[in-house]
Amino acid sequence: MSVYAGTASAQADPTNSAYVLSATGNPDNNVVRSGSYGGKKGIEDTLCWRTGYWTPAQAIEACEPDLVKKAAPPPPPPPPVPPPPPPPPPPPPPQVQKITLSSKALFDFDKAVLRPDGKRALDTEVIAKIRDVQKMELVLVTGHTDRIGTQAYNQRLSERRANAVRDYLAANGVPKEKIETLGMGKTQPVPGVVCNQPYPKQRKALIECLAPHRRVEVEVKGEQTK
């Protein structure tokens, strides 16, 4: 039989071992070792005894570490996953451009037919600006009146004036499906306008004083303006 050096506690399987095993030794250190070898310091009690049928395939780590196939080292950890890119910034909110035109500039008093100078005002103040709007979403045309007359009458007048402006815008290149109209009658007077002239005694002066209330507002909503 032959021997080989080993230093760690040597535990072999008693039912299938090619080493000489101790019948009385500690179960977790049951391989018989040499007492000495050539009297050389440092190798006493370090040699495991092999049986005659020992083969390298039967070597155990504690006795013959060089013959035991080493477990493959664990694979390196995967590289850290880079953080996801930040989300793109949200698109800017649609901008709203509000254009207020005096009804006096657009219509004669108590009328809903556009005057020639009213059409020119729409050309320069509204249509020219709408052409600079990209991705237009909505054009809201709102008509207002003064307090003279009943609410029902003024409601109809404000709607007719808003519709007249809508029709002119549509005839000049503004998509009609993008235009909405609204009549507010006399329900939204301009704040801060005070007119105390008696009606009908000072009708002309009162009409002139109430002019700021008679207006058409055009709100253009789009993603971006040039």
Side-chain angles (χ1 to χ4, degrees):
M1 52 188 162
S2 56
V3 296
Y4 195 83
T7 57
S9 296
Q11 180 183 8
D13 182 0
T15 64
N16 183 23
S17 175
Y19 294 93
V20 178
L21 303 181
S22 170
T24 59
N26 192 331
D28 61 0
N29 192 23
N30 59 356
V31 177
V32 175
R33 294 177 182 269
S34 66
S36 64
Y37 183 77
K40 294 181 181 180
K41 185 177 180 181
I43 63 172
E44 287 80 0
D45 300 321
T46 63
L47 304 179
C48 298
W49 285 77
R50 303 169 179 167
T51 65
Y53 55 85
W54 177 93
T55 65
Q58 294 169 301
I60 63 175
E61 176 78 20
C63 292
E64 297 162 295
D66 293 340
L67 299 180
V68 177
K69 185 178 180 180
K70 302 295 189 294
V81 179
Q95 298 179 356
V96 177
Q97 185 175 176
K98 187 173 182 179
I99 305 165
T100 301
L101 299 172
S102 167
S103 287
K104 183 177 180 180
L106 300 176
F107 309 99
D108 290 326
F109 178 72
D110 198 25
K111 302 296 182 182
V113 178
L114 280 168
R115 295 155 46 102
D117 51 345
K119 294 179 181 180
R120 288 192 294 271
L122 289 174
D123 290 339
T124 57
E125 296 299 318
V126 178
I127 294 175
K129 294 179 180 178
I130 287 178
R131 288 172 181 160
D132 289 339
V133 176
Q134 299 177 355
K135 295 186 180 179
M136 184 175 62
E137 295 184 10
L138 175 68
V139 177
L140 178 62
V141 181
T142 306
H144 300 267
T145 68
D146 60 29
R147 68 173 185 251
I148 299 174
T150 67
Q151 170 57 20
Y153 179 84
N154 282 306
Q155 178 64 34
R156 291 191 299 271
L157 178 60
S158 64
E159 292 172 359
R160 287 163 51 210
R161 286 179 167 175
N163 292 339
V165 172
R166 175 201 61 198
D167 294 342
Y168 185 79
L169 297 180
N172 286 272
V174 180
K176 192 170 185 178
E177 68 275 9
K178 299 284 188 180
I179 307 174
E180 293 185 11
T181 60
L182 190 63
M184 300 304 299
K186 59 181 179 180
T187 61
Q188 293 185 356
V190 175
V193 178
V194 179
C195 299
N196 296 321
Q197 295 86 345
Y199 184 86
K201 185 176 181 180
Q202 297 185 27
R203 179 177 180 274
K204 185 176 180 180
L206 180 62
I207 290 174
E208 186 66 27
C209 181
L210 293 174
H213 301 310
R214 300 187 296 272
R215 65 199 189 278
V216 174
E217 295 171 343
V218 181
E219 295 180 63
V220 181
K221 184 178 182 182
E223 180 179 303
Q224 182 181 350
T225 56
K226 294 179 181 178

